[in-house]
Amino acid sequence: MVRSMFAGVAGLRAHQSKMDVIGNNIANVNTWGFKAGSMSFKDAMYQNSSSGSGGNTEAGGIGAVNANQVGYGVTTGAITYDFSTGSMAPSASGLDCMIDGTGFFIVGPMLASPLSLSGEDAVKSSGLYLSRVGKFKVDPNGYLTDDSGSYVYGFTYNQTEKKYDTATLSPLKLPSKADLASEASKQKSDNVAAALKALNDANNAYNTQNSAFAAAKDAYITAQKNYDTARATEGIDAQETLTKNNKAAMETAYTAWQSDLTNAAKMTAYYTASDAYEEANYKLIQMNAKLQAPKALAGFTPSTIINQYYTEYKTALNTYRSAVEATDPDAYKLLKEDLDKKQADWQTAQNKLSVLEDDSLLSKRDALKVKVDTESAKLSAASVTVDKAKASLEAAQKAASKTEQDNSKADDSLGEFSSYAIQRDGTIQGTTSGGVSMVIGKIALGSVQNTGGLEKESGYYYTPGASSGNVSVFEAGGSEGRIMGNYLEMAKVDLATEMTDMITTQRGFQANSKIITVTDQMLEELVNMKR
């Protein structure tokens, strides 16, 4: 009977332990990089009240009998942690970062010398910790540390050879002012060289464009001369004047006729002026066709058909004008239809002669004019580019001169950076107030074969346990994880799950306490049998 009380006590202890895990998870719901734990149960030892037997098939024998076992409650099975990546929380600090993957930051106390990675368990035996929290800062000595003061380990950067030392791990430290001065001089010198090259390129581009503009302009002048010569040869200017005058005379005659529609003389004067304008305009169209539609003009065979269209139209028009509709309406209608057809044929001829053909003198001249305008715009843009390149070169030279003056005061004290940026491969880039960028180093990441074998230390540190395996060191950006700058990893805690587990744990604790109460009542009944 007492065994049931022991089982209840074991149940209370086990559920209290699980509540401790749940409480720890909820307490750390806002802890950077925290990994929630989960506890499982397993039943405790058993006592046999009777042993089992295999049975006897001989005469008089009995069959098999199962063993009877009574358990002594429950105990802790395992406490495991969820090491998957938590949610991302933006941060304004350039040195804050998180790991998007399964890796760990390597942090810890200052070692006597750089840690060689040639051994299999170099990190495991070094006393360094693993961490998932990338809340970093620069201490007064210029070292990169976390907010608990541990140094951040990574690969140092050789400023002269421009490469990382990936064979050893060292605490990352800011370069000296002398190193900054050397890098600043190199960058400013490179800026001057780049600005000078840009100016030379701009000058070359301007000269090339100037030649193209001059060639386009010469070609346009030649085309304009050819066009003007052809116009003079055809007498187009005089014909345009004649057409303009005839049009004005036609409009004057029309106005006079409209003021006195019964005046036959004014009507005749208008018809005469209209015929003169149409004839002059048609002749002008034929002249212009030689300059803008020579192929269309040559397409009229025989050439006399051009004037024939006009003659037939005029004949039909005069016939229609002289007819009287009241005398013979049907004949008058036929005359109108014939006039419409002849006028349409004449209008078609005018439309064909009015197109602008690609190979004509006018088209060539206009195309070359467009090219001159285009090349002129390009030349203006090239000139602006040259001016900007000159200004950039002057600014680069002044900046280089000032940098050399400032570098004369540089010493071996720590360099000063106004901002930092951490790239996905772990590279830390610092930028001075003068705009000089410099690589500080590269954050290293560690990986273990069995994350469940890691043991938690105070704060957010882990140490490799006996079952975790060796710690492998690698550069970020690969399959083990990339580093996200300006972000911190939020706690991997699901409050809904924790609250649910809290309810079931509470009920389990309550049920186990009931076992003790009932067992006590049974013992009381047993004692009270003797009155």
Coordinates of all heavy atoms in Angstrom, one line a residue, residues 301-334:
T301 N 2.8 55.9 -115.6 CA 3.2 55.7 -117.0 C 1.9 55.6 -117.9 O 1.0 54.9 -117.5 CB 4.0 54.4 -117.1 OG1 3.3 53.3 -116.5 CG2 5.4 54.5 -116.5
P302 N 1.9 56.2 -119.0 CA 2.9 57.2 -119.4 C 2.8 58.5 -118.5 O 1.8 58.7 -117.8 CB 2.5 57.5 -120.9 CG 1.1 57.3 -120.9 CD 0.8 56.1 -120.0
S303 N 3.9 59.3 -118.5 CA 3.9 60.5 -117.7 C 2.8 61.5 -117.9 O 2.4 62.2 -117.1 CB 5.2 61.2 -117.8 OG 5.4 61.6 -119.2
T304 N 2.2 61.4 -119.1 CA 1.1 62.4 -119.5 C -0.1 62.1 -118.7 O -1.0 62.9 -118.6 CB 0.8 62.3 -121.0 OG1 0.6 60.9 -121.3 CG2 2.0 62.8 -121.8
I305 N -0.2 60.8 -118.1 CA -1.4 60.5 -117.4 C -1.7 61.4 -116.2 O -2.8 61.5 -115.7 CB -1.4 59.0 -117.0 CG1 -2.8 58.5 -116.7 CG2 -0.5 58.8 -115.8 CD1 -2.9 57.0 -116.4
I306 N -0.5 62.0 -115.6 CA -0.7 62.8 -114.5 C -1.6 64.0 -114.8 O -2.5 64.3 -114.1 CB 0.7 63.3 -114.0 CG1 1.5 62.1 -113.5 CG2 0.6 64.3 -112.8 CD1 2.9 62.4 -113.1
N307 N -1.2 64.7 -115.9 CA -2.1 65.8 -116.3 C -3.4 65.4 -116.8 O -4.4 66.1 -116.8 CB -1.3 66.6 -117.4 CG -0.1 67.3 -116.8 OD1 -0.1 67.7 -115.7 ND2 1.0 67.4 -117.6
Q308 N -3.5 64.2 -117.3 CA -4.7 63.7 -117.9 C -5.8 63.6 -116.8 O -7.0 63.9 -117.0 CB -4.5 62.3 -118.5 CG -5.8 61.7 -119.2 CD -5.6 60.4 -119.8 OE1 -4.4 60.1 -120.2 NE2 -6.6 59.6 -119.9
Y309 N -5.4 63.1 -115.6 CA -6.3 63.1 -114.4 C -6.9 64.4 -114.2 O -8.1 64.6 -113.9 CB -5.6 62.6 -113.2 CG -5.2 61.1 -113.2 CD1 -3.9 60.6 -112.9 CD2 -6.2 60.2 -113.5 CE1 -3.6 59.3 -112.9 CE2 -5.9 58.8 -113.5 CZ -4.6 58.4 -113.2 OH -4.3 57.0 -113.2
Y310 N -6.0 65.5 -114.2 CA -6.5 66.8 -113.9 C -7.4 67.3 -115.1 O -8.5 67.9 -114.8 CB -5.3 67.8 -113.8 CG -5.7 69.2 -113.5 CD1 -6.3 69.6 -112.4 CD2 -5.5 70.2 -114.5 CE1 -6.7 70.9 -112.2 CE2 -5.9 71.5 -114.3 CZ -6.5 71.9 -113.2 OH -6.9 73.2 -113.0
T311 N -7.0 67.0 -116.3 CA -7.8 67.5 -117.4 C -9.2 66.8 -117.4 O -10.2 67.5 -117.6 CB -7.1 67.1 -118.8 OG1 -5.8 67.8 -118.8 CG2 -7.9 67.6 -120.0
E312 N -9.3 65.5 -117.2 CA -10.5 64.9 -117.1 C -11.4 65.4 -116.0 O -12.6 65.5 -116.1 CB -10.3 63.4 -117.0 CG -9.7 62.7 -118.2 CD -9.5 61.2 -118.0 OE1 -9.6 60.8 -116.8 OE2 -9.1 60.5 -119.0
Y313 N -10.7 65.7 -114.8 CA -11.5 66.2 -113.7 C -12.1 67.6 -114.1 O -13.2 67.9 -113.8 CB -10.6 66.3 -112.5 CG -11.1 67.3 -111.4 CD1 -12.2 67.1 -110.7 CD2 -10.4 68.5 -111.2 CE1 -12.7 68.0 -109.8 CE2 -10.8 69.4 -110.3 CZ -12.0 69.1 -109.6 OH -12.4 70.1 -108.6
K314 N -11.3 68.5 -114.7 CA -11.7 69.8 -115.1 C -12.9 69.7 -116.1 O -13.8 70.5 -116.0 CB -10.6 70.6 -115.6 CG -9.7 71.2 -114.5 CD -10.5 72.1 -113.6 CE -9.7 72.7 -112.4 NZ -10.6 73.5 -111.5
T315 N -12.7 68.8 -117.0 CA -13.8 68.7 -118.1 C -15.1 68.3 -117.4 O -16.2 68.8 -117.7 CB -13.4 67.6 -119.1 OG1 -12.1 68.1 -119.7 CG2 -14.4 67.5 -120.2
A316 N -15.0 67.3 -116.5 CA -16.2 66.8 -115.8 C -16.8 67.9 -114.9 O -18.0 68.1 -114.8 CB -15.9 65.6 -115.0
L317 N -15.9 68.7 -114.3 CA -16.4 69.8 -113.5 C -17.1 70.9 -114.3 O -18.2 71.4 -113.9 CB -15.2 70.4 -112.7 CG -15.5 71.6 -111.8 CD1 -16.5 71.2 -110.7 CD2 -14.2 72.1 -111.2
N318 N -16.5 71.3 -115.4 CA -17.1 72.3 -116.2 C -18.4 71.9 -116.8 O -19.4 72.6 -116.8 CB -16.1 72.7 -117.3 CG -14.9 73.5 -116.8 OD1 -15.0 74.1 -115.7 ND2 -13.8 73.4 -117.4
T319 N -18.5 70.6 -117.2 CA -19.7 70.0 -117.7 C -20.8 70.1 -116.6 O -22.0 70.4 -116.9 CB -19.5 68.6 -118.2 OG1 -18.5 68.6 -119.2 CG2 -20.8 68.1 -118.8
Y320 N -20.4 69.7 -115.4 CA -21.4 69.6 -114.3 C -21.8 71.0 -114.0 O -23.0 71.2 -113.7 CB -20.7 69.0 -113.1 CG -21.6 69.0 -111.9 CD1 -22.7 68.1 -111.8 CD2 -21.3 69.8 -110.8 CE1 -23.5 68.1 -110.7 CE2 -22.1 69.8 -109.7 CZ -23.2 69.0 -109.6 OH -24.0 69.0 -108.5
R321 N -20.9 72.0 -114.0 CA -21.3 73.4 -113.7 C -22.3 74.0 -114.7 O -23.2 74.8 -114.3 CB -20.0 74.3 -113.6 CG -19.1 74.1 -112.4 CD -17.9 74.9 -112.6 NE -17.0 74.8 -111.4 CZ -15.8 75.3 -111.3 NH1 -15.2 75.9 -112.4 NH2 -15.0 75.1 -110.2
S322 N -22.1 73.6 -115.9 CA -23.0 74.2 -117.0 C -24.3 73.5 -117.1 O -25.2 74.0 -117.8 CB -22.3 74.1 -118.4 OG -22.0 72.7 -118.7
A323 N -24.5 72.3 -116.5 CA -25.7 71.6 -116.5 C -26.7 72.2 -115.6 O -26.4 72.8 -114.6 CB -25.5 70.1 -116.2
V324 N -28.0 71.9 -115.9 CA -29.1 72.4 -115.1 C -29.9 71.2 -114.6 O -30.4 70.4 -115.5 CB -30.0 73.4 -115.8 CG1 -31.2 73.8 -115.0 CG2 -29.3 74.6 -116.4
E325 N -30.0 71.0 -113.4 CA -30.6 69.8 -112.8 C -32.1 69.7 -113.2 O -32.6 68.6 -113.5 CB -30.5 69.8 -111.3 CG -31.0 68.5 -110.6 CD -30.8 68.5 -109.1 OE1 -30.4 69.6 -108.6 OE2 -31.1 67.5 -108.5
A326 N -32.8 70.9 -113.2 CA -34.2 70.8 -113.5 C -34.5 70.4 -114.9 O -35.6 69.8 -115.2 CB -34.8 72.2 -113.2
T327 N -33.6 70.6 -115.8 CA -33.9 70.2 -117.2 C -33.9 68.7 -117.4 O -34.8 68.2 -118.0 CB -32.8 70.8 -118.1 OG1 -32.7 72.3 -117.9 CG2 -33.0 70.5 -119.6
D328 N -32.9 68.1 -116.8 CA -32.9 66.6 -116.9 C -32.2 66.0 -115.7 O -31.0 65.9 -115.6 CB -32.1 66.2 -118.2 CG -32.2 64.7 -118.5 OD1 -32.7 63.9 -117.6 OD2 -31.7 64.3 -119.5
P329 N -33.0 65.7 -114.6 CA -32.4 65.3 -113.3 C -31.6 64.0 -113.5 O -30.5 63.9 -112.8 CB -33.7 65.0 -112.5 CG -34.7 65.9 -113.1 CD -34.5 65.9 -114.6
D330 N -32.0 63.1 -114.3 CA -31.2 61.8 -114.5 C -29.9 62.1 -115.1 O -28.8 61.6 -114.6 CB -32.0 60.8 -115.3 CG -33.3 60.4 -114.6 OD1 -33.3 60.4 -113.3 OD2 -34.2 59.9 -115.3
A331 N -29.8 62.9 -116.1 CA -28.6 63.3 -116.7 C -27.7 64.0 -115.8 O -26.5 63.8 -115.7 CB -28.8 64.1 -118.0
Y332 N -28.3 64.9 -115.0 CA -27.6 65.7 -114.0 C -26.9 64.8 -113.0 O -25.8 65.0 -112.5 CB -28.5 66.7 -113.4 CG -27.8 67.7 -112.5 CD1 -27.2 68.9 -113.0 CD2 -27.7 67.5 -111.1 CE1 -26.6 69.8 -112.2 CE2 -27.1 68.4 -110.3 CZ -26.5 69.6 -110.8 OH -25.9 70.5 -110.1
K333 N -27.7 63.8 -112.6 CA -27.2 62.8 -111.6 C -26.0 62.0 -112.1 O -25.0 61.8 -111.4 CB -28.3 61.8 -111.2 CG -27.8 60.8 -110.1 CD -29.0 59.9 -109.8 CE -28.6 58.9 -108.7 NZ -29.7 58.0 -108.4
L334 N -26.1 61.7 -113.4 CA -24.9 60.9 -114.0 C -23.7 61.8 -114.1 O -22.6 61.3 -113.9 CB -25.4 60.4 -115.4 CG -26.4 59.3 -115.4 CD1 -26.8 59.0 -116.9 CD2 -25.9 58.1 -114.7

